[in-house]
Amino acid sequence: MCRHGRFSGFVVGRQHSGDRCRTVTLRRHPPVVKAPRMQARITLEDVAALARGCAVLGTGGGGDVRPGAIAARRAIREHGEVPLVSLDELPDDALVLPLSGIGAPTVSHEMIHGEDEPVRIAEEVERIFGRPPAAVMSSEIGGGNGVAPVAWAARLGLPLLDADAMGRAFPEVQMVSMYVAGIPADLVVMADVAGNVVTIRPVDGLWSERIARAVCVAAGSSALMADYVLTARECAGAVIEGTVSRAIAVGRATEGAADPLAALTAELGAVRLLTGKLADLDRRTTGGFARGTATVEGTGDDRGRTLILEIQNENLVALEDGRVRAMVPDLITVVDTQTATAVQTEALRYGQRVTVLAWPCDPLWRTPKGLETAGPRAFGYDLDYLPVEKIA
Amino acid sequence: MCRHGRFSGFVVGRQHSGDRCRTVTLRRHPPVVKAPRMQARITLEDVAALARGCAVLGTGGGGDVRPGAIAARRAIREHGEVPLVSLDELPDDALVLPLSGIGAPTVSHEMIHGEDEPVRIAEEVERIFGRPPAAVMSSEIGGGNGVAPVAWAARLGLPLLDADAMGRAFPEVQMVSMYVAGIPADLVVMADVAGNVVTIRPVDGLWSERIARAVCVAAGSSALMADYVLTARECAGAVIEGTVSRAIAVGRATEGAADPLAALTAELGAVRLLTGKLADLDRRTTGGFARGTATVEGTGDDRGRTLILEIQNENLVALEDGRVRAMVPDLITVVDTQTATAVQTEALRYGQRVTVLAWPCDPLWRTPKGLETAGPRAFGYDLDYLPVEKIA
C-alpha cells in the first residue's frame, strides 16, 4: 500500500516511483489514512481559507484566487451555503460536472466570467445526457479554479464534490487524473462570456486540449469548461478525493500562526528551496499561456545563492547553478516570506521578498502514465524526473 | 416582382438595388421564371459539368473542384447516383444538412477530407434533433464545396437539395443566405479528418465564423462543417434555389462550343473585364485564408491596360487605373482564355493567358443586409457598392 493516505488508487502502471508501493493491481484501494472531512458545507467564512489554500496548491497558476473568492462569497450570499459531498454520498449514476476556467491567467484578471456560463454548460450537458448534473467538481484545485467552483455550484444549486482532477494546477486540458486513469476524453463542453457554447467530442485528450485551447483563444483567451462529464461510479479511482478539504486545511494552517512560513511548510511537508528577493522576471502571454522565467536571489542565510523558476502558467522547474532542485509534477510555490501567502505567477514583482517551497505531488503523477502526461518532458524539458524529497 | 427568376424571395430589406423590384413584403414569392429542372439524379456524367460550373461560380475560391469531383465520382460508383430534389419535394419537417468544407484552399489540396466526416456530422445532428437529416445541401455552390456534397450525399444515402446558401463562394461562415434572411445562426457541427466532432451554439453568425475558424485552424486548416441545420419549411425563402442545376448548365455551356469563352460569357451574362496575361502574384496563407493580389496585363485589343484583383480566398475587387471595375458581392472569375476553364486563386501562375469575367450576384446580396454581410466593406474595402452592370 502506498503511504499517501489521500491517494485513492489508480491502475496506471506497475509502480509508484519514489513510493513504497511498488504494484497497484486494484482499480481502487481504500486510502490508508482518510483525510478528516472538514465540514459538510462551504460557508462564507470558509472562502478565505479555501482561497489561500488553493493559491498555495496553484504553484503560481490556476488563475488568481481573488475573482473566484469574490464570486464564491457573492454566490453563497445569493444562493446559500454549498454542500460539500464525498463521492460515496452520491448515487452511482449521478452526473458529476468537472468545471474549470481555461485561458491565460493574465486575461482572467481583466475579463471576469459571467454568471450564466455554468448554467449554459449544465443545460447542454442535460441536453446530451438526458438528465441534469448532480454535483460540481473542480477540475483543478490549484488557483482560482479551486475557488470559483463554489460560485458555480451555488449558482446551479448543486453540491460541490470534495475532489479534483489534479491535486494542484496544470496548464493543459489533458493533464487530469481521468486521463491518467485511462478514461476516454470524449466530451468537453465550453461556454464563454459572450454566450457561445461549444461541445467537443475529441478523439483523445491531446486533441481535446488542442481544440479547446483554440476555442478559448477565439473567445478572448478565457472560457468556462466542463471536461469529462462522469457518473459518480466512473469517478471512483479517477479523481483525487479530499482536495477541497485539503485546500481549506492548508489555508487555515497560517491563520493566527506566530511564524506563518514555518506553519505552512510543516502543513505541506515542504522543502524550503530558497528565501530571497525577486531579481529578474521575463514573462509573456502567448498562445493562451503565460510563459517565462523568474530569478530569485538569496538573502539572509541564502545570500549568494540564486534560484531560477521556469514558468508555463505554473512554476514547472526550479534550477540552482544549473542543477534541478524540484520539477513538475511536484509542486513549487512562491510565497511571501512574511505572510506565507502564495504569489501567483502573474503577481510576481521585481524586489518582492519571497520564499520558494516545493513538496511532493499526488502519487498518481509519479506513475509512468502520470509522468508521461505531466512530467518534465510533457513540458519540453529534457529531464528525468526525480522526486523533490530525493533531490533534497 | 424582381426580374431574377431563380430568386425565391427574402424579407431582407425594402428594396432590391439594381432591380425593378422595390419592395418585398412576402416571406417568399414564387419565382417568375422557374429554372427548368436539369435532371432528377446526378450521374457520373454530370460530375464534370458540375465541377466546371462550380469552378466558374467559385470566383477563384471555394476550394479546388478536382478533389470534390474525384470523391463524387467514386461515391456515385460505390453508392449509386444521387437524387437531386427541389425544396417542394421534401416534407416540411425534413431536416436539411447544409455541408461545406471550411479552411484554406491551399491546404485542401494536400489534406483530403476523409469519408467519415459527413457520417459523424449526421450522427451528431441526429443525436441533437432526435431524427436523421433527410437531404444534404451545398452551403456554397462555388468551387469544391459545390461538387463535394454529391459525394457526401452519396455516402449518407441522402438526396442533394438543388439549392445552396451563397449562389457563389464566400470566405466566411456567416456569409450565407440564411444569415441575410435573419435566421439565427444557432448551430454549427464540424468534423475533421482526425475524427474530432465539434458542436458550436454561437450567439450569432460572426461568433460562429470566429469559433469555427479557430477550430478549423486547430484541425490543420481544413474541416467539414454543417451550418444552420434547417427544416425544409425553414429553408423556404432562406436558401438560393436551383443553383446545382445552374452550375451544371454553366459547365455544359462550354462543352463542344467553337468559342468556349463567348459561350460562357453569354451563359453567365457576364462583362469581359480584360484579356491578358498574369504579370504579378502576391499570395500568402494566413489565419486559415489565402490572401493576396493578382495583376493581369492586357494583351491583343487590351494591350496597355492593367487589371488588379484583390483576393481573400475569392476574387473580391477588380481595379483598373485605381478605378473599381467590379466588386464583391458581384462575381469575378479568372478563366483560361482558350478553354474558358475557371482558374482558382491558388492555381494562378505567372504568365498564364487569362480573361477576367464579372457578372451580377443573386439579388439577395444587393439588399442592405446582403451588402452589410458580404459587400465590399465586409471585407475591409472602403467602397460604396455599385452593380457591375452599372459600372460597365
Side-chain angles (χ1 to χ4, degrees):
Chain A
M1 303 299 277
C2 72
R3 66 191 159 85
H4 286 78
R6 287 180 304 101
F7 178 47
S8 56
F10 288 82
V11 186
V12 282
R14 288 219 322 281
Q15 66 174 74
H16 290 181
S17 332
D19 200 316
R20 289 201 303 272
C21 172
R22 302 294 298 172
T23 315
V24 181
T25 51
L26 293 171
R27 173 150 171 74
R28 188 188 187 195
H29 60 88
V32 180
V33 181
K34 180 119 182 161
R37 289 291 308 285
M38 297 288 297
Q39 62 260 306
R41 309 186 82 80
I42 295 181
T43 67
L44 263 185
E45 288 65 41
D46 295 321
V47 173
L50 175 63
R52 273 200 307 279
C54 290
V56 170
L57 298 177
T59 65
D64 188 2
V65 294
R66 287 169 297 182
I70 292 168
R73 284 196 201 91
R74 179 174 164 181
I76 289 174
R77 278 195 205 97
E78 284 181 16
H79 305 286
E81 296 175 355
V82 174
L84 185 66
V85 297
S86 63
L87 207 44
D88 51 24
E89 293 175 68
L90 294 175
D92 273 0
D93 64 348
L95 280 185
V96 173
L97 190 64
L99 290 176
S100 61
I102 169 175
T106 35
V107 169
S108 69
H109 281 202
E110 298 183 3
M111 193 165 76
I112 308 294
H113 288 298
E115 297 204 330
D116 290 338
E117 284 95 321
V119 177
R120 282 198 303 273
I121 286 181
E123 284 169 354
E124 185 73 8
V125 165
E126 181 168 357
R127 205 179 283 136
I128 293 168
F129 288 87
R131 62 189 197 277
V136 166
M137 183 181 89
S138 166
S139 294
E140 174 181 48
I141 196 65
N145 274 329
V147 190
V150 174
W152 302 329
R155 179 77 179 82
L156 290 170
L158 293 178
L160 183 66
L161 184 63
D162 189 3
D164 83 311
M166 295 185 182
R168 47 164 294 160
F170 276 128
E172 297 190 10
V173 166
Q174 81 282 5
M175 295 171 172
V176 286
S177 53
M178 295 79 95
Y179 182 77
V180 178
I183 296 189
D186 56 5
L187 183 69
V188 173
V189 182
M190 300 175 70
D192 66 24
V193 74
N196 302 293
V197 177
V198 177
T199 302
I200 305 169
R201 295 184 186 276
V203 289
D204 60 29
L206 296 171
W207 273 108
S208 163
E209 158 63 27
R210 188 169 178 175
I211 297 174
R213 187 70 48 183
V215 171
C216 163
V217 172
S221 285
S222 184
L224 185 65
M225 176 172 70
D227 193 9
Y228 287 89
V229 180
L230 299 167
T231 62
R233 192 188 302 111
E234 290 170 316
C235 284
V239 300
I240 306 177
E241 293 185 58
T243 50
V244 177
S245 303
R246 167 77 173 152
I248 293 173
V250 168
R252 292 229 188 280
T254 53
E255 278 179 6
D259 183 345
L261 183 59
L264 179 65
T265 308
E267 170 69 30
L268 293 171
V271 177
R272 193 180 59 74
L273 297 185
L274 193 85
T275 293
K277 63 176 184 182
L278 252 297
D280 196 27
L281 278 171
D282 172 20
R283 281 175 307 194
R284 54 208 175 278
T285 298
T286 167
F289 287 107
R291 298 178 201 264
T293 59
T295 305
V296 185
E297 286 181 356
T299 54
D301 292 349
D302 292 336
R303 185 173 300 276
R305 293 172 49 201
T306 301
L307 198 75
I308 294 174
L309 298 175
E310 292 276 342
I311 299 165
Q312 187 182 140
N313 283 13
E314 284 72 47
N315 308 312
L316 297 184
V317 178
L319 295 155
E320 184 173 352
D321 298 330
R323 222 170 44 84
V324 174
R325 296 285 312 276
M327 69 182 106
V328 71
D330 287 332
L331 293 84
I332 304 169
T333 288
V334 178
V335 302
D336 180 286
T337 301
Q338 293 306 313
T339 63
T341 306
V343 185
Q344 307 291 110
T345 297
E346 65 275 16
L348 293 171
R349 298 282 178 275
Y350 174 79
Q352 266 174 326
R353 303 295 167 136
V354 296
T355 293
V356 184
L357 302 176
W359 66 100
C361 62
D362 193 281
L364 96 103
W365 295 115
R366 294 179 170 190
T367 62
K369 182 75 183 289
L371 287 172
E372 181 195 312
T373 305
R377 290 185 208 282
F379 297 93
Y381 301 105
D382 190 19
L383 297 170
D384 291 322
Y385 172 72
L386 270 179
V388 60
E389 67 274 20
K390 289 207 172 167
I391 300 176
Chain B
M1 306 299 275
C2 73
R3 66 190 158 84
H4 288 77
R6 286 179 305 102
F7 178 48
S8 55
F10 289 81
V11 187
V12 282
R14 289 219 323 280
Q15 66 174 74
H16 291 181
S17 331
D19 201 316
R20 288 201 305 271
C21 173
R22 301 293 297 174
T23 316
V24 181
T25 52
L26 294 171
R27 173 150 170 75
R28 187 190 189 196
H29 60 87
V32 179
V33 181
K34 180 118 182 159
R37 289 292 307 285
M38 299 285 297
Q39 63 260 306
R41 308 185 84 78
I42 295 181
T43 66
L44 263 185
E45 289 65 41
D46 294 322
V47 173
L50 175 63
R52 273 200 307 279
C54 290
V56 170
L57 298 177
T59 66
D64 188 0
V65 295
R66 287 169 298 182
I70 292 168
R73 283 196 202 92
R74 179 174 163 182
I76 289 175
R77 276 195 206 97
E78 283 181 16
H79 306 284
E81 296 175 355
V82 174
L84 185 66
V85 298
S86 63
L87 208 43
D88 51 24
E89 291 175 68
L90 293 175
D92 273 1
D93 64 348
L95 281 185
V96 173
L97 189 64
L99 290 176
S100 61
I102 170 175
T106 33
V107 170
S108 68
H109 281 202
E110 297 182 5
M111 193 165 76
I112 307 295
H113 288 298
E115 296 205 330
D116 289 339
E117 285 95 319
V119 176
R120 282 197 303 272
I121 287 181
E123 284 169 355
E124 184 72 7
V125 164
E126 182 168 358
R127 204 180 282 137
I128 293 169
F129 288 87
R131 61 190 197 279
V136 167
M137 184 180 90
S138 166
S139 294
E140 174 180 51
I141 195 66
N145 274 330
V147 190
V150 174
W152 302 328
R155 179 78 179 82
L156 290 170
L158 294 177
L160 183 68
L161 185 63
D162 190 2
D164 84 312
M166 295 186 181
R168 48 164 293 160
F170 276 127
E172 298 190 11
V173 167
Q174 81 280 8
M175 296 172 171
V176 287
S177 53
M178 294 78 96
Y179 183 78
V180 178
I183 297 187
D186 56 5
L187 183 68
V188 173
V189 182
M190 300 175 70
D192 66 23
V193 72
N196 301 292
V197 177
V198 177
T199 302
I200 306 168
R201 295 184 186 276
V203 289
D204 60 29
L206 296 172
W207 273 108
S208 162
E209 158 63 25
R210 189 168 176 176
I211 297 173
R213 186 71 49 185
V215 172
C216 162
V217 172
S221 285
S222 184
L224 185 65
M225 176 172 69
D227 192 11
Y228 286 90
V229 179
L230 299 166
T231 62
R233 190 189 303 108
E234 289 170 315
C235 283
V239 299
I240 306 178
E241 293 185 59
T243 50
V244 177
S245 302
R246 167 75 173 153
I248 294 174
V250 169
R252 292 228 188 281
T254 52
E255 279 180 6
D259 183 344
L261 183 59
L264 178 65
T265 309
E267 171 69 29
L268 294 171
V271 178
R272 192 181 59 76
L273 297 183
L274 193 85
T275 293
K277 64 176 182 181
L278 253 298
D280 196 27
L281 278 172
D282 173 20
R283 281 175 307 193
R284 54 207 175 278
T285 299
T286 168
F289 287 108
R291 298 178 202 264
T293 58
T295 306
V296 185
E297 285 180 358
T299 54
D301 292 348
D302 293 335
R303 183 172 302 276
R305 293 171 50 200
T306 301
L307 198 75
I308 294 174
L309 298 176
E310 292 276 344
I311 299 166
Q312 188 182 136
N313 283 14
E314 283 74 45
N315 308 311
L316 296 184
V317 179
L319 296 155
E320 184 173 352
D321 298 330
R323 222 169 44 83
V324 174
R325 294 288 312 278
M327 70 183 105
V328 70
D330 287 332
L331 293 85
I332 303 169
T333 288
V334 178
V335 301
D336 180 285
T337 300
Q338 293 305 313
T339 63
T341 306
V343 184
Q344 306 293 108
T345 297
E346 64 275 17
L348 292 171
R349 297 284 179 275
Y350 175 79
Q352 266 174 327
R353 303 297 168 133
V354 296
T355 292
V356 184
L357 301 176
W359 66 100
C361 63
D362 193 282
L364 96 104
W365 295 116
R366 293 179 170 188
T367 61
K369 182 75 182 290
L371 287 172
E372 181 195 310
T373 305
R377 288 184 210 283
F379 296 93
Y381 301 105
D382 189 21
L383 296 170
D384 292 321
Y385 172 71
L386 271 179
V388 59
E389 67 274 20
K390 288 204 173 169
I391 299 175

